[in-house]
């Protein structure tokens, strides 16, 4: 039957008191929420930014906003609504394709319906992507205590967009599909923000000034979300049953019940995210997709590479930190970035996975880019210019994997040494890898400054190279760090044990204080 112009199936029974629909019933609760959204939309001229990830919560939230705007006459829906979706460039390929198609459908349907909705796919800064940081700079795979990825890949692109909206309009309202039922931590954050609300349902955005957060489904349970999605037709023509199927495929048992008791697992437990994510114990959703659908076995190389990234990587990392220093934690050296050998290994594995998927995957992934040419160019720049790896191995690795020449732009020939020169340098340095690295860096520093009219910074750069290359080995660096720590601790102990003279404050004529020993 039709309800508010929307095709609605018969109500499902509400079997749990935790449902946000229990008090009023499904239809009345949704009708009240749509009225709330309409009132907030018409209350001012502040533009809205709706976060969309393609998952169930953001889909339900956007669907509510869309339905609310559809109820307004054209003259009352002039305020822009920006739908933003952040693509980290390492998203689960199935979900990434789903989101891309969804955005295309939204844009087309919004134009046809005369709705002030525009879609925007956001990506990280090309110099700050996952692979640029991991393979280019050598950042180790993210861990709970070094979670460098979230801000760079997700938060920064969204914040840049919102900040631009604020700059152009003075303020912005960010509409998110956050729910208290997601986790205890999320509930605590939302409760705190709820106490800071400035008006109606708007909370201040802790990340950006002059922006506010609206969370229309904050009290919904997982099953409320699925009930809404299954009963109310998707207004931009992307069937929600397909979304349900995707969640089913990402659940270990392939099931996704809509109305359940508290002991029944829900589709809400399915989590989609970056296929490289090492912040979770294992990628359950990708494992389930491969397990439940033989046609998705092409993703197996991604799962295997993700699991390799999640392994013990101490043997792949330098004993020095990014700045060349050596630091200790409980008598052990804190490992630094990935070594050159490890970074080249990760690059080769990513390219090999890309080659495998293109050769064995379905038609829709035959042109997949696990790592873009733009990222490869930035990684090459970092290796040659900042890490002084002047043998320029990236094009060689690319050619060996794909059997074709590297398609990226040329690099200044004056910045690299040919294979003959590098072979001679290797022979001179012998088996001493650290000696080779130091000599190579000193040569590159001199070459980079050779053409400068003023060679400012040359001596500082040479000093930095010598500091990094000072050690004979990792064991030598650890021993020196231990000795340095013992000397410092001894000096602190000596200072604390010394009898310092008593002092007393004495006022001076200018109103300040002087400190003099007590006679």
């Amino acid at each position: 039957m039709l309800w508010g112009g929307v095709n609605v199936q018969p109500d499902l029974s509400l079997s749990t008191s935790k449902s946000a629909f229990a008090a009023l019933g499904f239809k009345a609760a949704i009708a009240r929420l749509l009225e709330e959204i309409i009132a907030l939309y018409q209350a001012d001229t502040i533009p809205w930014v709706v976060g969309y990830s393609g998952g169930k919560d953001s889909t339900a939230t956007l669907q509510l906003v869309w339905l609310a705007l559809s109820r307004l006459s054209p003259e009352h829906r002039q305020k822009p609504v920006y739908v933003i979706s952040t693509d980290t460039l390492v998203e689960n390929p199935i979900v990434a394709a789903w989101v891309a198609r969804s955005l295309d459908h939204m844009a087309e349907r919004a134009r046809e319906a005369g709705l002030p909705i525009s879609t925007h796919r956001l990506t990280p800064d090309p110099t700050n992507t996952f692979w640029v940081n991991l393979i280019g700079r050598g950042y180790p795979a993210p861990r709970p205590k070094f979670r460098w990825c979230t801000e760079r890949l997700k938060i920064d692109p969204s914040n840049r967009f919102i900040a631009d909206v604020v700059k152009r309009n003075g303020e912005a309202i960010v509409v998110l599909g956050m729910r208290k039922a997601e986790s205890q931590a999320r509930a605590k954050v939302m409760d705190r923000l709820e106490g800071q609300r400035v008006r109606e349902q708007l909370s201040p955005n802790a990340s950006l000034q002059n922006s506010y957060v609206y969370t229309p489904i904050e009290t919904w349970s997982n099953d409320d979300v699925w009930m809404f999605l299954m009963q109310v037709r998707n207004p931009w023509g992307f069937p929600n049953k397909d979304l349900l199927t995707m969640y089913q495929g990402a659940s270990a048992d392939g099931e996704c019940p809509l109305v359940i008791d508290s002991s029944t697992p829900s589709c809400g437990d399915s989590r989609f995210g970056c296929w490289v994510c090492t912040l979770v114990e294992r990628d359950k959703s990708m494992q389930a997709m491969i397990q439940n659908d033989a046609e998705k076995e092409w993703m197996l190389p991604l799962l295997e590479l993700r699991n390799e990234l999640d392994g013990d990587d101490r043997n792949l990392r330098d004993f020095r930190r990014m700045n060349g220093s050596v630091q200790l934690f409980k008598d052990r050296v804190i490992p630094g970035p990935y070594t050159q050998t490890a970074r080249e290994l990760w690059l080769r594995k990513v390219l090999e996975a890309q080659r495998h998927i293109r050769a064995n995957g379905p038609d829709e992934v035959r042109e997949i880019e696990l790592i873009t040419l733009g990222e490869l160019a930035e990684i090459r720049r970092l290796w040659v210019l900042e890490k002084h790896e002047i043998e320029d191995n990236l094009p060689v690795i690319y050619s060996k994997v794909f059997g074709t020449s590297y398609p990226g732009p040329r690099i200044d020939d004056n910045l690299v040494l040919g294979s003959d020169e590098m072979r001679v340098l290797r022979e001179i340095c012998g088996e001493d890898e650290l000696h080779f690295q130091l000599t190579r860096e000193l040569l590159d520093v001199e070459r980079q400054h050779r053409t400068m009219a003023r060679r400012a910074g040359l001596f500082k750069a040479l000093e930095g190279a010598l500091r990094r290359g000072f050690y004979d080995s990792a064991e030598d660096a650890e021993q020196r760090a231990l000795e340095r720590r013992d000397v410092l601790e001894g000096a602190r102990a000596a200072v604390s044990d010394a009898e310092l003279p008593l002092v007393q404050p004495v006022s001076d004529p200018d109103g300040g204080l002087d400190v003099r020993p007590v006679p």
Side-chain angles (χ1 to χ4, degrees):
M1 61 182 176
L2 290 176
W3 165 68
V6 181
N7 185 24
V8 179
Q9 301 173 8
D11 282 353
L12 301 179
S13 61
L14 301 171
S15 61
T16 172
S17 60
K18 294 183 180 179
S19 171
F21 309 142
L24 299 176
F26 178 78
K27 284 196 238 179
I30 296 300
R32 176 175 291 185
L33 185 52
L34 292 177
E35 291 172 359
E36 175 184 290
I37 294 172
I38 290 171
L40 280 173
Y41 179 82
Q42 293 185 300
D44 49 52
T45 59
I46 303 174
W48 283 19
V49 179
V50 182
Y52 176 73
S53 67
K56 67 184 192 310
D57 296 338
S58 63
T59 299
T61 299
L62 178 56
Q63 198 160 305
L64 286 166
V65 172
W66 191 297
L67 295 175
L69 294 182
S70 299
R71 289 185 162 195
L72 294 173
S73 58
E75 62 269 19
H76 290 128
R77 55 187 190 211
Q78 298 300 314
K79 188 165 70 173
V81 175
Y82 305 103
V83 177
I84 63 172
S85 180
T86 302
D87 184 351
T88 63
L89 302 180
V90 283
E91 299 289 332
N92 180 306
I94 300 296
V95 180
W98 168 274
V99 172
R101 293 196 305 270
S102 297
L103 293 175
D104 290 342
H105 275 262
M106 283 178 211
E108 183 178 351
R109 290 299 177 89
R111 284 193 299 269
E112 293 173 355
L115 297 176
I117 295 175
S118 60
T119 60
H120 304 267
R121 175 180 171 268
L122 311 179
T123 56
D125 187 291
T127 65
N128 219 6
T129 67
F130 182 85
W131 294 124
V132 165
N133 280 299
L134 188 138
I135 297 176
R137 296 187 173 90
Y139 284 13
R143 297 292 188 268
K145 291 186 178 180
F146 188 39
R147 190 171 181 154
W148 55 264
C149 53
T150 305
E151 185 170 348
R152 289 172 171 82
L153 306 187
K154 287 184 173 290
I155 297 175
D156 286 351
S158 299
N159 281 355
R160 282 198 302 270
F161 186 93
I162 297 168
D164 184 62
V165 173
V166 171
K167 182 179 179 180
R168 288 185 282 109
N169 299 275
E171 293 177 298
I173 294 174
V174 184
V175 186
L176 300 175
M178 294 169 55
R179 295 182 300 107
K180 295 180 181 180
E182 290 181 74
S183 67
Q184 291 184 351
R186 176 59 58 85
K188 288 181 180 179
V189 171
M190 295 182 71
D191 286 339
R192 185 177 72 252
L193 292 176
E194 188 175 342
Q196 301 172 9
R197 282 181 174 162
V198 291
R199 64 179 179 84
E200 290 97 11
Q201 301 297 313
L202 303 182
S203 303
N205 188 337
S207 302
L208 292 171
Q209 290 185 339
N210 297 333
S211 63
Y212 312 94
V213 177
Y214 173 44
T215 51
I217 64 169
E218 61 184 11
T219 61
W220 287 20
S221 66
N222 288 331
D223 303 312
D224 290 339
V225 176
W226 284 117
M227 183 182 298
F228 173 75
L229 292 176
M230 292 301 101
Q231 291 204 41
V232 180
R233 185 178 59 207
N234 184 291
W236 56 87
F238 228 56
N240 289 333
K241 288 185 178 180
D242 291 349
L243 178 63
L244 174 64
T245 300
M246 188 166 64
Y247 270 83
Q248 286 176 323
S251 300
D253 54 7
E255 296 182 359
C256 196
L258 293 181
V259 180
I260 56 174
D261 57 31
S262 58
S263 63
T264 306
S266 169
C267 261
D269 295 332
S270 299
R271 292 288 181 178
F272 298 120
C274 303
W275 67 265
V276 293
C277 184
T278 50
L279 295 171
V280 293
E281 184 177 349
R282 54 196 177 94
D283 191 336
K284 296 179 181 179
S285 64
M286 183 172 284
Q287 280 184 329
M289 283 182 175
I290 297 171
Q291 170 188 315
N292 296 335
D293 189 349
E295 293 183 358
K296 293 188 173 65
E297 287 185 358
W298 59 267
M299 292 196 297
L300 192 57
L302 304 185
L303 187 62
E304 292 173 345
L305 179 53
R306 180 262 165 212
N307 291 339
E308 288 187 62
L309 286 169
D310 198 26
D312 184 0
D313 60 4
R314 288 187 68 93
N315 64 318
L316 300 176
R317 295 167 64 181
D318 202 326
F319 61 88
R320 296 159 293 193
R321 308 307 296 272
M322 283 284 190
N323 60 5
S325 65
V326 177
Q327 296 180 353
L328 296 173
F329 178 73
K330 294 183 178 180
D331 295 341
R332 293 190 68 187
V333 170
I334 301 173
Y338 288 128
T339 63
Q340 179 181 356
T341 301
R343 287 182 278 107
E344 292 179 355
L345 171 70
W346 292 132
L347 175 61
R348 190 176 72 250
K349 286 181 176 294
V350 174
L351 294 177
E352 287 173 346
Q354 178 171 300
R355 182 192 62 192
H356 175 88
I357 292 172
R358 286 183 171 185
N360 300 285
D363 291 341
E364 58 265 25
V365 295
R366 289 298 169 89
E367 300 299 323
I368 193 171
E369 281 191 317
L370 298 182
I371 185 168
T372 67
L373 289 177
E375 289 176 291
L376 290 174
E378 177 62 14
I379 290 169
R380 186 186 187 191
R381 188 194 69 80
L382 288 168
W383 285 7
V384 173
L385 295 183
E386 297 191 12
K387 293 187 177 295
H388 309 285
E389 293 162 3
I390 50 179
E391 58 270 42
D392 192 22
N393 281 340
L394 187 144
V396 178
I397 296 170
Y398 186 96
S399 296
K400 285 182 178 179
V401 172
F402 291 111
T404 59
S405 299
Y406 171 65
R410 289 178 58 85
I411 198 168
D412 188 347
D413 292 335
N414 293 323
L415 298 176
V416 300
L417 290 180
S419 57
D420 292 339
E421 291 90 341
M422 295 307 298
R423 184 175 63 254
V424 170
L425 183 59
R426 281 282 185 186
E427 291 174 357
I428 294 173
C429 297
E431 299 297 323
D432 191 340
E433 179 65 22
L434 294 179
H435 185 201
F436 169 77
Q437 292 176 9
L438 173 60
T439 306
R440 181 183 61 182
E441 183 170 350
L442 291 172
L443 284 171
D444 189 45
V445 168
E446 194 281 330
R447 285 162 65 92
Q448 287 185 19
H449 288 78
R450 183 177 55 190
T451 57
M452 295 181 180
R454 292 181 66 254
R455 305 181 79 180
L458 171 61
F459 292 112
K460 184 177 181 180
L462 291 173
E463 182 181 3
L466 291 170
R467 286 182 180 277
R468 280 187 291 275
F470 172 78
Y471 306 102
D472 294 331
S473 63
E475 292 74 21
D476 175 50
E478 182 174 339
Q479 183 60 38
R480 290 178 182 275
L482 288 168
E483 293 173 356
R484 184 168 59 251
R485 185 195 63 184
D486 292 342
V487 169
L488 290 174
E489 289 181 350
R492 293 191 191 98
V495 170
S496 63
D497 292 341
E499 292 186 3
L500 299 178
L502 296 176
V503 296
Q504 64 179 1
V506 179
S507 299
D508 67 25
D510 297 325
L513 286 178
D514 188 14
V515 178
R516 300 176 184 175
V518 176

